[in-house]
Amino acid sequence: MATATADREQWGSRIGFVLAAAGSAIGLGNIWRFPYITGENGGAAFVVLYLLCIAFICLPYLFAELALGRNSQKNPVGAIAAIKARTPWMLVGALCVLTGVFILSYYGVVAGWAFGYIFKGLVAPATDAGTYFASFIADPWTVIPLMGFFMLFTISIVASGVEQGIERASKVLMPILLVLILVVIFRSVTLPGAGAGLEFYLNPDFSKVDGGVVLAALGQAFFSLSLGMGAMITYGSYLPKSENLLVSGGYVALFDTAIALLAGLMIFPAVFAMGQNPSEGPALVFVILPEVFGAMPLGSFVGAVFFTLLSIAALTSTVSLLEVVVSYFVDETSWSRKKSAWLVGGFTFLVGVPSALSQGGSDFFTNQLQLFGQTGFLNIMDYIWGNVSLALGALLLSIFVSWVWGADAAVRELQQGADGFTGMAVAVWRFFVKYVCPLFIAAILVGKVLGTI
Ligand code: PHE
């Protein structure tokens, strides 16, 4: 692809961008992580806090990333260089690109499990889903090829380009995802005993809230919207000036939040109806649900539908993770899109192998490797890149946009395509992005670091 800005690819339509960006946001974070974090943090009160975080922290920050991306028409490194070339700020862009590679490396492993469970989960004995899952993820000959397949799908979508690949795939996949979720919800809420799950999920008990729950809500909101590593800078860079960033970004946040809330509605009624424990942790989806599916009518069908849905959601997220890195190589080097996608994807696959082996496949990567209070390669990677690096990236990017580039310049960018963004709305956004976001994000970071030391 030519490097001249005029020739840079763009999204074919608003709906194409919204679907692709929502596809990035919606993934394992919504369907696997949101329900188990909600379960661990007491249910409905956590959900209320999560919604407040989305509205008051993530949404203003999302507009900052989109404005920076469209203004520069560049990847995260190029976007920062366009404003502050040859300064240490460029390291923030580099951090984004690195974070993309490393999150993708272990995210691809979990996505591979989901993909495998479309087929394998169906043959799991109904009474022993936990043991089955443990042996499933411990077998290198299962998990490495599954991760490989998943990376191949991801690479081939990214290699064929923004409009041809990502947008076309999202247009087909996202509506299917929504329909599948609704089917599973219908099955779940019509089970006898589902009411207790609805109560847990929808009736808040604020006595369960403490500082840890607030931080968990903030962190989850952040991860779920793909913020803090330049995914929205990159996707914003493919938008024309006529696009209303506020409306498009608003839709993305709305879809992402809606899918997370629907995922909870899909899981909690079933878990309670089956007399299971909602605070089961990361295994909730992979261990509890197959058991739940196995013990209900049409269970194998519902299970296959569910893991198909989880794989589709994960794929549109892995595409965005790879796209951040590929856009860097396409913009900043002479590499073609195809070459970048295959080389970066292949490298990421290799980086992912130790994560794939960290669930029993290798004793060293599973048990012996310990760092920052985490045990096992995958957990360490998730802590460094999925937690600390995302929070750090977002803290630095919110400061960069509002104080270095300048809130005024960002407002002017947002106003292109959004005539109505004036007066009070501008004042409110400036206040949030200059003060509220950096302070709250700093709180997440400090909380995460202190919480594990
Ligand atoms: N938001 C994605 C999810 O919910 C994960 C992700 C994080 C994707 C950061 C891109 C960047 O699964």
Side-chain angles (χ1 to χ4, degrees), residues 187-189 191 194 197 265-276 289 292-293 296:
R187 182 62 278 188
S188 185
V189 298
L191 287 169
L265 205 53
M266 174 168 71
I267 287 167
F268 290 113
V271 168
F272 276 76
M274 296 295 160
Q276 303 285 356
L289 279 182
V292 169
F293 294 144
M296 68 196 209

Side-chain angles (χ1 to χ4, degrees), residues 129-151:
T131 314
Y132 179 81
F133 181 60
S135 65
F136 176 85
I137 57 174
D139 180 8
W141 301 108
T142 303
V143 287
I144 294 177
L146 283 173
M147 169 179 67
F149 278 131
F150 213 88
M151 288 302 296

Side-chain angles (χ1 to χ4, degrees), residues 23-30 103 107 220 222-227 229 231 256 313-314 317-318 320-321 390:
S24 164
I26 297 160
L28 296 171
N30 305 59
I103 293 184
Y107 198 101
Q220 174 60 25
F222 215 47
F223 182 91
S224 188
L225 278 175
S226 304
L227 294 176
M229 48 75 69
D256 183 67
S317 298
T318 54
S320 74
L321 286 160
L390 279 188

Side-chain angles (χ1 to χ4, degrees), residues 155-434:
I155 292 168
S156 57
I157 292 177
V158 172
S160 54
V162 175
E163 227 216 291
Q164 280 307 307
I166 301 171
E167 181 173 341
R168 203 168 58 187
S170 294
K171 255 184 193 160
V172 179
L173 296 178
M174 298 312 291
I176 297 176
L177 173 63
L178 189 63
V179 172
L180 290 181
I181 289 176
L182 294 174
V183 169
V184 182
I185 289 176
F186 179 75
R187 182 62 278 188
S188 185
V189 298
T190 52
L191 287 169
L198 290 173
E199 164 84 15
F200 173 82
Y201 185 52
L202 299 175
N203 191 9
D205 172 3
F206 285 99
S207 68
K208 290 175 179 166
V209 171
D210 61 16
V213 175
V214 177
L215 284 180
L218 209 48
Q220 174 60 25
F222 215 47
F223 182 91
S224 188
L225 278 175
S226 304
L227 294 176
M229 48 75 69
M232 293 301 160
I233 296 177
T234 306
Y235 275 25
S237 76
Y238 303 122
L239 281 171
K241 293 287 183 193
S242 57
E243 186 68 39
N244 188 329
L245 295 182
L246 299 165
V247 171
S248 297
Y251 275 128
V252 171
L254 194 72
F255 286 166
D256 183 67
T257 309
I259 297 288
L261 293 177
L262 290 174
L265 205 53
M266 174 168 71
I267 287 167
F268 290 113
V271 168
F272 276 76
M274 296 295 160
Q276 303 285 356
N277 182 1
S279 56
E280 193 67 30
L284 189 69
V285 161
F286 290 102
V287 175
I288 301 297
L289 279 182
E291 246 182 71
V292 169
F293 294 144
M296 68 196 209
L298 290 179
S300 54
F301 171 73
V302 179
V305 166
F306 177 80
F307 286 105
T308 303
L309 174 164
L310 191 58
S311 301
I312 292 169
L315 183 63
T316 49
S317 298
T318 54
V319 161
S320 74
L321 286 160
L322 184 59
E323 177 60 23
V324 169
V325 189
V326 165
S327 74
Y328 165 75
F329 284 103
V330 169
D331 286 348
E332 311 296 328
T333 74
S334 60
W335 290 9
S336 69
R337 169 167 280 275
K338 261 204 177 64
K339 179 177 175 183
S340 308
W342 283 98
L343 287 180
V344 174
F347 175 75
T348 308
F349 170 78
L350 295 179
V351 177
V353 169
S355 286
L357 295 176
S358 72
Q359 307 298 315
S362 140
D363 186 51
F364 175 73
F365 289 124
T366 308
N367 300 311
Q368 293 178 29
L369 205 59
Q370 298 189 347
L371 199 63
F372 305 124
Q374 309 290 316
T375 303
F377 196 82
L378 194 151
N379 291 342
I380 294 169
M381 292 296 271
D382 185 42
Y383 178 76
I384 298 174
W385 302 103
N387 286 349
V388 177
S389 177
L390 279 188
L392 187 65
L395 172 63
L396 295 170
L397 281 170
S398 65
I399 294 171
F400 181 79
V401 167
S402 58
W403 295 94
V404 179
W405 183 28
D408 289 339
V411 165
R412 279 194 298 277
E413 180 63 42
L414 290 172
Q415 282 170 333
Q416 297 193 48
D419 303 337
F421 188 52
T422 50
M424 196 61 193
V426 169
V428 169
W429 183 74
R430 287 173 62 107
F431 174 73
F432 274 92
V433 85
K434 282 181 89 163

